[in-house]
Amino acid sequence: MVESVEIKADLSDPEFLQNPYPALAALRRDSPVARVKTAFGFDAWLLTGYDLVRESLADPRLVRNVPGEVDPIRQGTPGGVAGRDFVPPSVLDTVDPPEHTRLRALVQPAFTSHRIDGLAGRIEAVVAPLVEELGGTPEWDVVPRIAYRLPLAVIGDILGTPRGDDVELVRITAGLLAEDTDGDRFRAHRIALHSLRDYLVDLIAQQRRRPGEDLTSKLVEAVPATDEVAGYELVSLLVNIVVAGYLTTGNVIGSGLAALLTHPGQLALLRGNRGYIPSAVEEFGRIEAPFTSVLAFAAEDLAYGEAAIERGDAVISSLTAANRDPARFADPDRFDITRPDHGQLAYSRGIHRCLGSHLARVEVAVFLRLLLDRFPVLELACAPEDLRWRAIGEIRGLRAVPVRTA
């Protein structure tokens, strides 16, 4: 019998947010399947061991919709919350097969490893000017200057947005990083999602009139303009691609560069051997996962470890805890860009594995190479203990990473 425990420290607790690893390590050691109270007030089962988390991410008995509830797209169509009040859900994360299978099949061809590798030259052409801009000042913050602009510029190129609209997308999506302290903490998020939705609705209309070779045009070809439900799905898919892509890559760039700059020996090693860039990118995701956890629901009664999980129970798989499990990673709290065998779970696993995981890896690798080529000096321009984290739901990233280059 597993006793219910209440975790006093959660992602809304500043102390836990700054360093969640001791609390997660204690849970992983003493109660790898724990009944917890979440920051949002509901009970859930928290999985912290690597093997349990890895198993759960591909377990078809764990689903994204509470059994018996209406799927999120149809909640937003006529009869639900329609029209301008519609806030597009992250459909690839919140629907289950067969809907998930159908929707993912629409966008998967644009994100295969082969296709992304073929875009490496275009990605470098997008990233290089952003890195070159940094040379105009000896000190800059990588978070606003690069971390979020870079992935939005690349995603915009894939979607077919007008050149230069990455700045507009940064402005539109800025509210997704807000941490509201008034009574409605998600007001800024909803405003940002509404603005992004409107931008993408206009983009869809433009590409329907003048289709090109971009992903938006390909999706428009598959969706009749008269199909209202499919229209909501298309908008939601594009919102999903933009939001997940820029937050994931942006957080990895910020926390990864911070890890390098607080470990000068590792930075020197990377400068001396660029062949370590791929393993460095993997270590960035392992040491600080951009998404801390995955929420699912039991579609039937099931058992994990010694816990009897009932149908409908919420199950949280902690990617952050799994990626520092000493049973899987030697000396797991040590940042080591030479780890030969990763298996890290920063991008999840199974049918809900991050669609843009390979794109994120290529973007970060290109950025690292160009950054090292451009700046012979890279130093953290603050004390390591002054680096502060933000968390919005399961998303965790650094607020700022000041860098000195001279």
Side-chain angles (χ1 to χ4, degrees):
M1 178 67 179
V2 175
E3 296 294 329
S4 178
V5 298
E6 182 171 352
I7 299 181
K8 302 292 186 182
D10 54 53
L11 278 181
S12 65
D13 182 317
E15 184 178 345
F16 181 81
L17 174 59
Q18 282 303 111
N19 184 14
Y21 300 106
L24 291 174
L27 274 174
R28 189 175 53 233
R29 180 186 65 244
D30 301 331
S31 189
V33 184
R35 188 71 171 159
V36 301
K37 298 284 187 184
T38 70
F40 295 98
F42 62 87
D43 290 344
W45 295 97
L46 179 66
L47 312 182
T48 49
Y50 180 90
D51 288 341
L52 286 175
V53 169
R54 188 175 188 278
E55 177 186 353
S56 72
L57 295 174
D59 191 336
R61 301 171 300 171
L62 293 175
V63 296
R64 296 305 175 93
N65 277 318
V66 177
E69 287 196 359
V70 180
D71 76 75
I73 280 289
R74 283 157 184 79
Q75 289 175 353
T77 57
V81 182
R84 293 191 61 81
D85 289 330
F86 174 66
V87 177
S90 181
V91 289
L92 291 180
D93 293 330
T94 56
V95 298
D96 300 302
E99 288 82 5
H100 177 272
T101 307
R102 174 178 59 82
L103 292 169
R104 185 154 179 136
L106 290 173
V107 293
Q108 183 68 56
F111 291 93
T112 62
S113 297
H114 176 74
R115 177 152 178 79
I116 295 303
D117 288 341
L119 295 176
R122 286 171 60 188
I123 292 171
E124 181 165 341
V126 169
V127 176
L130 299 180
V131 172
E132 189 59 33
E133 282 181 18
L134 301 176
T137 176
E139 190 171 309
W140 36 265
D141 182 353
V142 75
V143 173
R145 295 292 299 273
I146 281 283
Y148 297 118
R149 281 189 65 192
L150 184 159
L152 283 173
V154 173
I155 291 167
D157 191 63
I158 291 172
L159 294 185
T161 63
R163 287 296 173 91
D165 265 18
D166 59 297
V167 176
E168 176 66 4
L169 284 171
V170 168
R171 184 191 66 79
I172 289 172
T173 56
L176 298 177
L177 298 172
E179 298 166 280
D180 297 332
T181 56
D182 59 16
D184 185 358
R185 63 180 298 208
F186 293 112
R187 179 174 179 272
H189 302 180
R190 287 201 305 275
I191 291 172
L193 284 173
H194 281 146
S195 298
L196 180 59
R197 173 206 60 194
D198 292 345
Y199 176 90
L200 292 171
V201 166
D202 289 343
L203 178 65
I204 289 167
Q206 293 168 18
Q207 306 306 75
R208 198 178 289 280
R209 291 191 301 267
R210 296 184 297 275
E213 295 302 314
D214 53 87
L215 176 58
T216 304
S217 296
K218 299 299 182 186
L219 292 175
V220 163
E221 289 177 6
V223 177
T226 55
D227 190 331
E228 192 166 19
V229 172
Y232 280 117
E233 289 179 339
L234 175 54
V235 174
S236 295
L237 275 173
L238 294 183
V239 169
N240 200 141
I241 290 167
V242 172
V243 174
Y246 106 96
L247 288 177
T248 299
T249 307
N251 286 342
V252 171
I253 287 173
S255 63
L257 185 58
L260 269 180
L261 299 184
T262 52
H263 295 81
Q266 294 290 295
L267 176 59
L269 185 63
L270 190 60
R271 281 197 183 279
N273 186 346
R274 304 298 173 81
Y276 283 128
I277 284 180
S279 60
V281 173
E282 292 303 303
E283 185 71 346
F284 287 0
R286 187 197 70 83
I287 202 72
E288 298 289 358
F291 284 80
T292 62
S293 58
V294 171
L295 171 66
F297 301 91
E300 61 186 68
D301 293 349
L302 51 91
Y304 263 85
E306 298 179 0
I309 298 174
E310 297 181 357
R311 182 179 185 272
D313 282 357
V315 178
I316 299 173
S317 302
S318 176
L319 308 179
T320 301
N323 278 344
R324 296 208 187 190
D325 187 344
R328 176 62 180 81
F329 302 102
D331 197 3
D333 294 325
R334 177 170 55 88
F335 176 66
D336 181 4
I337 66 169
T338 70
R339 289 183 188 273
D341 174 30
H342 255 286
Q344 53 94 352
L345 300 174
Y347 302 104
S348 192
R349 181 173 177 262
I351 64 170
H352 289 284
R353 177 181 177 81
C354 176
L355 178 71
S357 59
H358 189 66
L359 175 61
R361 288 178 166 102
V362 172
E363 289 175 301
V364 178
V366 169
F367 165 67
L368 263 185
R369 178 171 55 79
L370 293 177
L371 189 73
L372 294 174
D373 287 347
R374 178 64 179 81
F375 298 106
V377 174
L378 286 169
E379 298 173 343
L380 190 64
C382 71
E385 58 269 22
D386 290 337
L387 293 170
R388 310 303 293 175
W389 296 85
R390 69 157 60 92
I392 303 153
E394 74 281 6
I395 301 166
R396 181 173 181 264
L398 283 166
R399 299 168 185 263
V401 182
V403 178
R404 185 182 301 113
T405 57

